[in-house]
Amino acid sequence: MQHRDIIFSTMHNNALSPADIADSRILGMFDPQQFRNTGHALIDLLADYLATNMEGTGKVIDWVPPHLAELDWLAPLPQHPVLNPTDLLERLRHEILPGTLAIHHPHNLGHQVAAPLPLAALCDLVAALANQAMAVYETGPSATLLERQVIRWLGELIGWKNVEGVLTSGGAQANLTALLAARQHSADWDIWQKGVSAGRPLRILASEHAHYSISRAAGIMGLGANAVVKVAADAEGRMDIAALQQAHREAIEQGTIVMAVVATAGCTPTGSVDPLSSVGAYCRQHNLWLHVDGAHGASALLSPIYREALSGIEYADSVVWDGHKLLYMPAAVSAVLFQKPEHANEAFAQEASYLFQGSSHGDETYNTSYRTLECTKRMMGLKLWAAFSLYGREGIALLVERVFGTARLLAQKLEQAEDFECLMPPQTNIVCFRLRGADQASLRSAVIEAGAFHVTQVTLRDEVWLRTTIMNPLTTEKDLDELLETLRRRAT
Ligand SMILES: Cc1ncc(COP(=O)(O)O)c(C=O)c1O
């Protein structure tokens, strides 16, 4: 029975069979008109939410300890409808959105998470509804082509002539993907087929400040997390080249294979950028795979002012670049990029990848599942393509330049204030500092629980520092002054 027949039948009080009722309910769940109406109201609600957060007059977080907050979320599984679409919007308005960390609030200075571009968020709605599985070209033709377009753009920004890669869900997974390719490339046996125990032990050399996803990847790959040799960093948080050489020598003496050197462009604790030129030159000289984890900092490449700091990134064999950090995308979208296109297929070197050597190479390259852990994945390229198309490289660079500039301003203020100590001049948009004489951890908790600011903390060489990541281009000098004042007030 068609939808309109059911409506007609209801209007004329004709008895409906259980099957008709089921049909009607099923159609109701997909009702385009309901989607339209609820969607319009939802966008209004979200636009208000965005505007309020941007104003920054309310709290950045309405802190309730999780064990208490959870008491509101212990309802039994609904067997029957308990909400209509209007109720859903009301729950969003009154309960769910007020319980979010206000990511667009100018006092949100915590983690390296983008205040996403609203139009990119709209693209995610398109991705959700169109739900392109993307494993192979035919399950997402335009999604695949958009992704390939974006990969080419990012490769061009790195300065590569060729590039192949994939968009995947998050920097941690992206690092794993790149390191799997490095592992396959560096082992002198078929490690995918025969496993890690069939040859010499493998090592990864990474700065002591490398993201934990690197040692996690080593664990996942069966190397053991101890296979990551921590290379000392200098006082500015950058990998020390002499320490890298020493670690390399020791690895050789121990009869191990160095499968990759990982340099970080924007390390998580301090935002420091490893010296990519000298690390890159060393890797070239010794034929070592260089992986650059640019999850956080690669976006500096967009800016003529800041890209110099990443000079040498073009030496990398693989680069990871997060869209949901400084490309201002909603989470999650991370690019894994390979300078040599053939390396992109080495990460998951299973039987099917051998197709790439065959005559079908041309077409197979459009099937992204060869290059990623994910089988079904979101249409991730759309939002990046849209943002670059809507605002241009220079538009997104403005956002990066603004937050890098604000971080420098904060560092200057901290230097000038006698009661504060700044760990180091920021190389990106992360500033670590402390209020002299205060217990930094309790101070941070007090500020968050008051909903005044969101800041994080980091322990470096056994000392706790407050850590701010200026992600929001709307954070102003006034907000920075308020931050310092709030910390002083809360400490007394
Ligand atoms: C340098 C670096 N690499 C990788 C990651 C992991 O990225 P994601 O959180 O997208 O998995 C982070 C996250 O903060 C990071 O700072």
Side-chain angles (χ1 to χ4, degrees):
M1 189 183 261
Q2 294 296 306
H3 194 42
R4 56 173 182 279
D5 298 335
I6 292 167
I7 294 166
F8 182 80
S9 181
T10 321
M11 280 164 57
H12 291 80
N13 263 343
N14 292 351
L16 287 173
S17 71
D20 290 342
I21 292 169
D23 281 353
S24 167
R25 282 193 68 184
I26 289 168
L27 282 170
M29 288 188 236
F30 290 90
D31 182 1
Q33 193 54 43
Q34 183 183 70
F35 177 71
R36 189 189 308 278
N37 296 342
T38 313
H40 285 165
L42 176 64
I43 297 296
D44 286 342
L45 172 60
L46 289 177
D48 291 345
Y49 168 79
L50 174 66
T52 307
N53 285 343
M54 282 169 58
E55 263 170 32
T57 43
K59 289 183 172 183
V60 65
I61 184 168
D62 194 4
W63 180 257
V64 183
H67 64 282
L68 294 180
E70 196 176 33
L71 297 177
D72 289 341
W73 297 101
L74 298 175
L77 170 71
Q79 302 295 337
H80 305 291
V82 291
L83 293 180
N84 62 34
T86 311
D87 300 331
L88 172 64
L89 293 172
E90 288 309 299
R91 296 289 294 269
L92 281 168
R93 184 192 306 277
H94 296 296
E95 291 171 57
I96 296 168
L97 290 174
T100 57
L101 168 68
I103 211 84
H104 294 89
H105 194 299
H107 290 188
N108 173 35
L109 310 173
H111 289 283
Q112 302 148 275
V113 180
L117 291 163
L119 295 191
L122 282 186
C123 291
D124 254 4
L125 176 60
V126 177
L129 189 74
N131 210 24
Q132 304 293 282
M134 288 208 64
V136 290
Y137 177 70
E138 69 197 50
T139 57
S142 57
T144 305
L145 300 176
L146 284 164
E147 175 159 329
R148 291 177 63 74
Q149 171 70 91
V150 166
I151 297 274
R152 280 192 291 272
W153 285 341
L154 298 180
E156 184 186 320
L157 284 162
I158 292 172
W160 289 342
K161 287 200 188 71
N162 292 310
V163 63
E164 183 59 277
V166 72
L167 297 180
T168 191
S169 301
Q173 188 162 225
N175 277 331
L176 171 64
T177 306
L179 289 174
L180 277 165
R183 185 184 76 156
Q184 183 74 4
H185 183 76
S186 307
D188 47 14
W189 69 100
D190 184 353
I191 196 165
W192 183 268
Q193 214 56 37
K194 297 188 178 155
V196 285
S197 56
R200 284 184 289 155
L202 299 172
R203 293 286 177 268
I204 297 169
L205 311 184
S207 144
E208 59 177 311
H209 297 313
H211 190 255
Y212 72 79
S213 56
I214 302 300
S215 52
R216 195 171 272 191
I220 294 169
M221 291 189 292
L223 314 182
N226 288 346
V228 179
V229 179
K230 298 217 156 134
V231 178
D234 63 17
E236 305 257 280
R238 300 172 165 128
M239 185 190 277
D240 183 288
I241 286 290
L244 172 66
Q245 290 168 349
Q246 168 81 5
H248 185 209
R249 263 197 308 275
E250 285 174 11
I252 294 170
E253 280 161 20
Q254 289 160 8
T256 61
I257 299 175
V258 172
M259 57 159 263
V261 172
V262 176
T264 311
C267 74
T268 318
T270 59
S272 305
V273 179
D274 285 336
L276 302 182
S277 283
S278 34
V279 175
Y282 185 80
C283 289
R284 284 232 163 149
Q285 193 188 349
H286 295 274
N287 200 20
L288 294 170
W289 179 290
L290 172 62
H291 172 62
V292 174
D293 177 359
H296 184 71
S299 297
L301 290 170
L302 269 59
S303 158
I305 306 171
Y306 293 109
R307 69 166 287 135
E308 184 57 28
L310 268 62
S311 163
I313 194 170
E314 65 281 3
Y315 290 133
D317 295 282
S318 52
V319 171
V320 159
W321 188 338
D322 273 5
H324 53 272
K325 293 192 167 70
L326 286 163
L327 288 176
Y328 289 87
M329 293 294 111
V333 53
S334 303
V336 194
L337 306 158
F338 295 93
Q339 180 174 183
K340 295 199 174 128
E342 63 273 20
H343 287 161
N345 302 321
E346 286 186 311
F348 303 96
Q350 54 219 339
E351 207 183 320
S353 74
Y354 298 123
L355 285 172
F356 284 92
Q357 275 108 55
S359 55
S360 52
H361 173 85
D363 285 345
E364 290 299 339
T365 205
Y366 295 97
N367 297 332
T368 51
S369 58
Y370 289 114
R371 298 192 284 278
T372 169
L373 184 62
E374 290 166 290
C375 178
T376 302
K377 71 186 186 96
R378 274 175 85 90
M379 182 183 194
M380 297 182 208
L382 172 65
K383 52 193 169 185
L384 275 166
W385 167 82
F388 276 118
S389 307
L390 286 164
Y391 311 116
R393 180 212 40 84
E394 54 175 20
I396 317 240
L398 266 185
L399 305 176
V400 175
E401 286 163 8
R402 174 61 59 85
V403 294
F404 277 38
T406 308
R408 276 156 182 70
L409 182 61
L410 175 59
Q412 267 171 30
K413 286 181 182 288
L414 291 162
E415 287 299 337
Q416 284 158 11
E418 285 183 1
D419 48 350
F420 281 98
E421 185 185 357
C422 187
L423 175 64
M424 62 176 76
Q427 292 163 46
T428 52
N429 58 336
I430 297 178
V431 186
C432 297
F433 63 97
R434 58 189 174 192
L435 179 64
R436 293 182 202 274
D439 177 301
Q440 313 302 315
S442 343
L443 183 55
R444 180 183 103 85
S445 301
V447 168
I448 293 178
E449 284 167 26
F453 282 89
H454 190 231
V455 293
T456 49
Q457 69 185 55
V458 61
T459 305
L460 290 165
R461 309 225 158 105
D462 295 331
E463 293 188 16
V464 181
W465 296 81
L466 296 175
R467 173 178 172 275
T468 51
T469 314
I470 315 285
M471 294 298 291
N472 191 339
L474 305 164
T475 298
T476 61
E477 182 167 7
K478 181 168 154 284
D479 298 308
L480 303 181
D481 291 336
E482 267 178 53
L483 170 67
L484 303 193
E485 267 320 300
T486 304
L487 289 168
R488 286 182 180 114
R489 228 181 20 252
R490 291 270 156 196
T492 50

